[in-house]
Amino acid sequence: MAMTTNGLSSKLIRNIIRRVNTPSPTTTLTTPRFRSAQRTTINTTSTTILQPPPPPPPVNAAGAVTDDARDTIFDFDNTKGLFSSVSTGKLLRSAANLNLAAVEPVVDLGMWVMRSRVMHVGLLREIVLGVIKHTSYEHFVAGADLEETGRTVQKLWESGLRGMLDYGLEHAVDNQSCDSNALQFVKTVESTQSLPPSSVSFVVVKITAICPISLLKRVSDLLRWEYKNPTSTNLPWKLKTLPIFSESSPFYHTLQKPSPLTADEEHDLELAHQRLVNICNKSIECNVPVVIDAEDTSIQPGIDYFTYSASVIYNKGQKPLIFGTIQAYLKDAGERLFETKKAADKMGLPVGFKLVRGAYMWSESKLADSLGVESPIHNSIGDTHDCYNKCAEFVLDEVSNGPGGLILATHNLESAKLAAQKARDLGIGKDSEKLEFASLYGMSEAMTFGLRNAGFGVSKYLPFGPVDQIMPYLLRRAEENKGLLSSSNLDRQLMMKELKRRMKAYVGQGLEETENQFKSQAGSVVKLN
């Protein structure tokens, strides 16, 4: 399909990359000068809406969203409207679990127990798994299998939300486990056909589950070496792809020239590619896009290679089938994002990004420190926030006027507010299918329902699997979000406020019913007399 692109000077490109990567003095989002002029068409299916859409934000005489509307993305004063779709029982359990998870010593103890020898003693293991199942598992996991998870998706859909199905698999080490995992991903995609149309926004795929970790490391090393030494490196197995590195990317993982892949390794790589192809073909058949998770920088180049080579094959028209993940806590995130988008524009491809902050800060910094090199992580949390917000701003501008899509995965209220304000200014709403907010199941509920009420598409990340299989996931989530759970009390405060409101309403209703009953009885006595 013929595409057109804007002519960009090298100076302009450098300015945009610098704007994405350097902190700004304010937290407001501005419109970048770079805007793609691409136009394509795509066949899309209509979305079934079970609930009436919220009213549009107020506009002025010129048709622009008013300042008051932009400043009122969230209405946390009205807890009745915020939690209208949550039963009192669910609200009580959620408040209890979040209050428990906010106590760091309790989380530390739980993590220690799950890693200790206790888990190798039959009876004790069953007791621990039972406690986990009725606390953290019930709160953060969507179900043990596709049937239970489907019921969770149905409940979310009825409350105006969607689900991102994430089978709780960790790293695979051999082809047998990779084949089994790939089959489960295909079944997960197939399961969406028995659910309400569009109730599943994405199926999450982990490349680490369909390609052995050792091979991903080898591929990443060779890709790094090729980028730094393009004329002296030959990779006969390499498929056409989008940019994987930028000049600021970390290359210290590969300090010497790696040996070429062996015949067996090339065969295993082809098997891994075929597994991803099978998943993508099923996704096309079922009309549900795929988002590929990110990992640490030692294997991320290999993951991006799989992601972008599949994107070249499958992303067509306006709406991408494959979404990659950009981790904004990395110093090269903004530059890589821009380079990938620019290359996709030249190739006429719609590109999809999921934007996250990142989850491997401790291990990344520890490795860099051990090698005596600069950490790939931003120097401050403020720099990470700034990078995330500017990357979101850039992609929103791009997709508002061209093909592509963006998943904003965040638990940060300020980032969500800034992006929502920007999206409103650009006219990007729920029906555009250009933007989807996302957060982990069981977390940031107030933000989730607030964005839903403001008229945006919102999904919950739904990990699922048997409790013993998903324990590594729970451990990792506990480590990643321990500080967040202990420091962010908005959900807990609003849930308790709503529970108190419901209790007062219930007591008041009971008193009113008693009073009416008394009056009725008194009236009957008067009539008899």
Side-chain angles (χ1 to χ4, degrees):
M1 183 177 295
M3 306 290 292
T4 62
T5 56
N6 286 343
L8 296 175
S9 67
S10 59
K11 181 179 179 181
L12 178 56
I13 293 173
R14 287 195 299 271
N15 285 339
I16 293 170
I17 295 173
R18 190 180 304 115
R19 180 171 60 79
V20 172
N21 278 317
T22 56
S24 65
T26 66
T27 57
T28 57
L29 290 170
T30 56
T31 303
R33 288 174 288 172
F34 173 64
R35 187 173 293 231
S36 172
Q38 303 179 93
R39 293 291 185 276
T40 56
T41 60
I42 187 170
N43 293 323
T44 58
T45 58
S46 60
T47 300
T48 303
I49 305 296
L50 297 185
Q51 295 185 343
V59 297
N60 58 25
V65 178
T66 64
D67 291 337
D68 288 342
R70 283 194 295 268
D71 292 339
T72 55
I73 297 294
F74 299 108
D75 180 10
F76 293 141
D77 292 329
N78 179 17
T79 58
K80 181 179 180 180
L82 198 64
F83 296 109
S84 60
S85 59
V86 184
S87 69
T88 300
K90 173 70 173 176
L91 207 57
L92 278 167
R93 291 191 299 272
S94 296
N97 280 319
L98 285 176
N99 275 287
L100 187 65
V103 183
E104 286 201 33
V106 172
V107 177
D108 290 335
L109 176 62
M111 290 165 55
W112 177 84
V113 169
M114 284 193 283
R115 289 194 173 104
S116 70
R117 294 182 179 180
V118 169
M119 300 306 295
H120 300 288
V121 180
L123 179 60
L124 294 177
R125 175 183 172 84
E126 292 303 314
I127 293 173
V128 171
L129 290 180
V131 172
I132 292 171
K133 182 175 177 61
H134 295 290
T135 52
S136 58
Y137 179 90
E138 183 183 81
H139 186 78
F140 296 109
V141 180
D145 52 31
L146 286 169
E147 184 178 352
E148 287 186 9
T149 305
R151 290 196 288 269
T152 301
V153 170
Q154 181 72 46
K155 291 177 182 177
L156 289 174
W157 180 241
E158 291 169 356
S159 68
L161 305 174
R162 302 204 290 173
M164 299 174 67
L165 300 186
D166 179 17
Y167 189 55
L169 298 168
E170 292 299 310
H171 298 172
V173 295
D174 55 42
N175 282 321
Q176 184 177 358
S177 58
C178 288
D179 287 338
S180 176
N181 294 341
L183 180 60
Q184 185 59 51
F185 286 131
V186 169
K187 289 181 178 178
T188 301
V189 175
E190 288 176 336
S191 73
T192 63
Q193 300 305 285
S194 62
L195 297 170
S198 299
S199 61
V200 173
S201 54
F202 297 90
V203 169
V204 180
V205 172
K206 296 179 178 66
I207 299 299
T208 53
I210 61 174
C211 179
I213 290 296
S214 58
L215 182 56
L216 273 176
K217 289 181 178 178
R218 291 273 288 126
V219 169
S220 296
D221 281 337
L222 286 162
L223 290 170
R224 273 188 288 262
W225 194 263
E226 181 203 36
Y227 182 85
K228 300 300 287 185
N229 306 273
T231 58
S232 61
T233 307
N234 178 35
L235 304 179
W237 43 265
K238 187 180 178 183
L239 301 174
K240 189 174 183 180
T241 184
L242 296 170
I244 294 170
F245 304 102
S246 70
E247 285 301 316
S248 59
S249 295
F251 294 96
Y252 51 76
H253 304 84
T254 311
L255 300 178
Q256 56 185 357
K257 184 176 182 178
S259 60
L261 294 183
T262 65
D264 286 343
E265 287 175 326
E266 286 198 31
H267 176 68
D268 289 348
L269 183 62
E270 177 59 32
L271 290 176
H273 272 295
Q274 189 57 50
R275 294 182 192 111
L276 183 57
V277 164
N278 293 340
I279 295 167
C280 291
N281 287 339
K282 182 59 66 173
S283 298
I284 292 175
E285 178 185 327
C286 297
N287 195 31
V288 57
V290 165
V291 58
I292 296 179
D293 268 350
E295 298 288 340
D296 63 83
T297 55
S298 67
I299 58 174
Q300 189 58 41
I303 293 171
D304 285 340
Y305 168 67
F306 274 91
T307 303
Y308 294 144
S309 60
S311 297
V312 170
I313 298 171
Y314 289 100
N315 286 2
K316 307 295 181 183
Q318 290 277 336
K319 185 179 177 182
L321 178 78
I322 311 295
F323 283 66
T325 300
I326 296 289
Q327 301 177 95
Y329 74 164
L330 295 173
K331 293 175 180 176
D332 69 337
E335 191 174 354
R336 282 191 297 110
L337 174 68
F338 177 79
E339 292 296 336
T340 302
K341 182 66 173 72
K342 182 179 68 172
D345 289 347
K346 289 182 178 179
M347 296 172 66
L349 299 176
V351 63
F353 296 106
K354 180 183 75 170
L355 188 59
V356 302
R357 277 173 169 75
Y360 303 94
M361 183 181 299
W362 183 82
S363 59
E364 295 281 13
S365 297
K366 182 181 179 182
L367 175 61
D369 185 63
S370 69
L371 296 174
V373 296
E374 181 183 351
S375 172
I377 307 296
H378 283 297
N379 296 331
S380 70
I381 186 63
D383 289 346
T384 295
H385 292 333
D386 195 67
C387 179
Y388 186 97
N389 295 335
K390 288 183 175 179
C391 286
E393 170 195 3
F394 171 71
V395 180
L396 285 171
D397 270 294
E398 292 300 299
V399 300
S400 72
N401 200 37
L406 175 64
I407 306 168
L408 283 176
T410 184
H411 302 111
N412 185 284
L413 196 62
E414 184 63 19
S415 289
K417 180 180 178 181
L418 289 172
Q421 290 170 342
K422 181 69 175 178
R424 274 190 177 176
D425 288 342
L426 294 170
I428 300 175
K430 187 175 184 178
D431 294 336
S432 72
E433 296 188 327
K434 297 281 189 179
L435 169 65
E436 189 81 8
F437 287 94
S439 58
L440 293 173
Y441 184 61
M443 292 183 65
S444 299
E445 302 292 70
M447 185 184 78
T448 295
F449 294 126
L451 288 167
R452 174 204 63 185
N453 291 351
F456 293 99
V458 188
S459 292
K460 300 301 285 187
Y461 226 70
L462 301 179
F464 68 95
V467 61
D468 54 341
Q469 175 184 305
I470 213 162
M471 271 180 53
Y473 171 89
L474 290 174
L475 278 169
R476 194 162 63 150
R477 286 292 178 247
E479 289 175 332
E480 293 170 7
N481 299 297
K482 185 170 60 173
L484 176 65
L485 286 168
S486 63
S487 61
S488 177
N489 60 2
L490 178 64
D491 276 358
R492 287 177 279 141
Q493 287 179 346
L494 293 178
M495 285 178 180
M496 292 306 298
K497 180 181 177 181
E498 173 59 13
L499 285 169
K500 289 177 182 178
R501 186 201 66 79
R502 292 185 185 186
M503 184 176 294
K504 288 180 180 178
Y506 178 77
V507 171
Q509 182 181 5
L511 290 174
E512 184 178 352
E513 289 177 354
T514 302
E515 183 180 355
N516 290 338
Q517 185 178 10
F518 178 79
K519 288 180 178 179
S520 176
Q521 291 173 348
S524 299
V525 172
V526 170
K527 287 180 181 180
L528 288 173
N529 291 332

